[in-house]
Amino acid sequence: NTRGGVVMAEMWISMGPQHPMTHGLWTLKVKVDGETIVDADPELGYLHRSVEKMGERRKYFMNTTLTDRLCYASSTTWTHNYVLAVEELMEIEVPTRAQYLRTIMLELQRLASHLMWAGAYMPDLGHITGALYFWRDRELFLNLLELPSGSRLLYNYMRIGGVKRDLPDGFEEKTERVLKLFEQRLDEYADLFENSKIFRMRTEDVGKFTGTQAMNLGITGPNLRGCGVKHDLRVEDTYEIYEELDWDVCTREAGPGYSDCFSRYMIRIDEMKESVKIIRDCFKKMPKGPTMSSRVPVRASGEAFRRTEDSRGEALMYLVGDGSDRPYRWKIKSPMFTTISACPYYLKGYKLADIPAIMGSIDICIGETDK
């Protein structure tokens, strides 16, 4: 290539696997022409732990310890996906109260996950204070998640047929105090970030892709809804008691039918507000009753497929039972696998310095991607 009479040579640059721009261990190779990205090649596999193959050698009930570790920022949502698949395979009916308890924990986990993402995203943009603010508030929800589960990060609260235990005394009141405080903090976020000229300069009109492109590339979750596409599995393929609750599917657009880094930030802020509504409505409508099914078989045969709305998009779980007490085949599909694989399409044309802003905005979790 020639520019201004000077011959410009394209070259490949390796971003990682140790580079701090990554949210997990992976390599992003980018081809640049000067400072402009002309191609990209994501390379995964550094964290592959063979979870599916290990799970095929363990009993059904033992695999919840593996699914908890698929994503340390959203362990409850992955274990929930797994137990739904097992319950479909075993034809287990879950008590209504357990469904409400699951939904409360799922939305507390979504709040903690989105706050984890936001706290990690801010240093990508040079905003260290933002990390301290978001992670400070994440601790509030980790405290709540710890109370019924007894664990701080890997909760193992979801069980085949129900949940580990009922809520402790005073849990609703503690949760309401946290939610009220968090709503005040959301106003602080608006002053600090949404109204920050520097933050908006780094995120607006950067990393754009349309809703049509996102659907064709398999991008789901907040990254799809940030393009204005109203698609959420909690509604489209509903589970637990979401259809009985008062809440809305959020969408955002940077422009007609497309997203940018800023709209992907704002959609997660909107979703956290909806999670607060869902939790309150669950407490309002939750009935008394058992928290575990009276019938939980040990063996299963047949096939089961379930998909849920993980914090990062569509989480898919496929199980095959051969009549024994462990899965014959187990397949997990992460929303991040397709989203990261699509990065050559939404990185091209931007500058090298935009890579942390763009890749950070999609909320990467390599643990669930590599499995």
Side-chain angles (χ1 to χ4, degrees):
N1 296 332
T2 303
R3 184 180 302 157
V6 178
V7 176
M8 304 295 292
E10 293 180 349
M11 62 182 294
W12 283 95
I13 297 176
S14 182
M15 306 284 290
Q18 290 84 21
H19 195 282
M21 59 79 61
T22 62
H23 296 228
L25 196 60
W26 65 300
T27 292
L28 175 63
K29 298 175 182 177
V30 291
K31 182 188 281 188
V32 294
D33 181 357
E35 288 290 320
T36 304
I37 303 165
V38 296
D39 199 1
D41 179 22
E43 184 178 315
L44 301 166
Y46 295 97
L47 285 184
H48 187 60
R49 292 160 288 163
S50 193
V51 168
E52 294 147 323
K53 190 54 65 178
M54 287 193 295
E56 291 168 7
R57 284 154 175 75
R58 295 158 64 102
K59 296 180 180 180
Y60 285 102
F61 73 90
M62 298 170 68
N63 285 330
T64 56
T65 57
L66 295 178
T67 52
D68 259 11
R69 286 156 177 79
L70 284 171
C71 179
Y72 65 90
S74 196
S75 63
T76 294
T77 59
W78 276 107
T79 299
H80 174 252
N81 192 338
Y82 171 74
V83 298
L84 282 184
V86 176
E87 286 161 1
E88 180 180 296
L89 193 65
M90 296 181 173
E91 299 180 348
I92 298 172
E93 185 173 344
V94 178
T96 303
R97 183 173 178 84
Q99 292 181 309
Y100 275 90
L101 293 174
R102 285 179 174 185
T103 305
I104 291 170
M105 296 296 283
L106 288 170
E107 295 308 313
L108 288 173
Q109 181 73 91
R110 195 179 313 275
L111 285 159
S113 178
H114 282 354
L115 288 169
M116 177 71 184
W117 162 78
Y121 189 42
M122 291 301 149
D124 291 341
L125 306 175
H127 205 315
I128 301 299
T129 302
L132 301 177
Y133 271 65
F134 284 113
W135 287 341
R136 170 200 65 183
D137 294 340
R138 176 174 175 260
E139 290 294 311
L140 300 174
F141 294 103
L142 294 186
N143 290 340
L144 293 175
L145 287 162
E146 183 180 8
L147 287 173
S149 67
S151 301
R152 186 70 179 174
L153 197 62
L154 307 171
Y155 307 102
N156 203 20
Y157 183 71
M158 303 291 178
R159 298 295 172 88
I160 299 168
V163 295
K164 184 177 182 178
R165 60 171 69 94
D166 210 333
L167 299 177
D169 293 340
F171 184 82
E172 182 177 352
E173 292 76 15
K174 291 177 182 177
T175 302
E176 181 58 30
R177 287 198 297 270
V178 168
L179 297 181
K180 284 183 178 179
L181 176 60
F182 181 63
E183 287 174 322
Q184 298 172 12
R185 299 278 172 80
L186 286 171
D187 295 332
E188 292 181 10
Y189 298 160
D191 291 335
L192 279 169
F193 311 117
E194 296 155 40
N195 299 328
S196 165
K197 185 176 181 180
I198 294 174
F199 179 73
R200 297 188 77 131
M201 286 173 63
R202 291 294 308 275
T203 57
E204 287 187 319
D205 294 324
V206 176
K208 296 191 291 186
F209 53 81
T210 67
T212 300
Q213 289 172 327
M215 288 187 284
N216 289 338
L217 293 167
I219 297 173
T220 57
N223 296 312
L224 177 62
R225 292 189 287 274
C227 303
V229 179
K230 197 169 186 177
H231 177 76
D232 191 310
L233 289 178
R234 290 173 290 178
V235 173
E236 303 297 330
D237 191 4
T238 191
Y239 49 90
E240 304 303 357
I241 41 81
Y242 280 106
E243 61 184 349
E244 301 174 19
L245 302 175
D246 179 22
W247 66 287
D248 300 302
V249 176
C250 305
T251 59
R252 278 274 179 170
E253 291 179 295
Y258 72 87
S259 72
D260 61 8
C261 294
F262 185 71
S263 72
R264 293 192 286 274
Y265 165 83
M266 287 304 304
I267 188 65
R268 290 178 173 89
I269 295 295
D270 294 341
E271 288 195 358
M272 287 194 283
K273 294 177 182 178
E274 291 302 312
S275 291
V276 170
K277 288 172 58 178
I278 291 171
I279 293 167
R280 282 179 171 150
D281 205 29
C282 281
F283 281 124
K284 181 180 177 182
K285 297 176 179 178
M286 183 165 58
K288 301 287 185 181
T291 60
M292 274 293 292
S293 172
S294 59
R295 174 189 167 274
V296 181
V298 176
R299 303 175 185 275
S301 61
E303 294 178 295
F305 171 78
R306 290 307 300 256
R307 55 181 190 160
T308 57
E309 190 66 38
D310 180 55
S311 309
R312 290 158 186 78
E314 289 190 8
L316 311 179
M317 200 76 70
Y318 175 69
L319 283 170
V320 178
D322 62 353
S324 68
D325 58 358
R326 60 203 69 200
Y328 175 72
R329 284 291 182 268
W330 184 18
K331 179 63 180 174
I332 303 166
K333 192 266 183 182
S334 157
M336 277 297 102
F337 184 80
T338 48
T339 306
I340 294 173
S341 299
C343 75
Y345 296 89
Y346 51 77
L347 284 177
K348 290 179 184 177
Y350 296 98
K351 301 299 182 183
L352 197 62
D354 291 324
I355 292 177
I358 297 171
M359 298 310 297
S361 72
I362 65 173
D363 192 6
I364 294 171
C365 179
I366 299 299
E368 68 174 39
T369 306
D370 276 351
K371 302 185 290 295

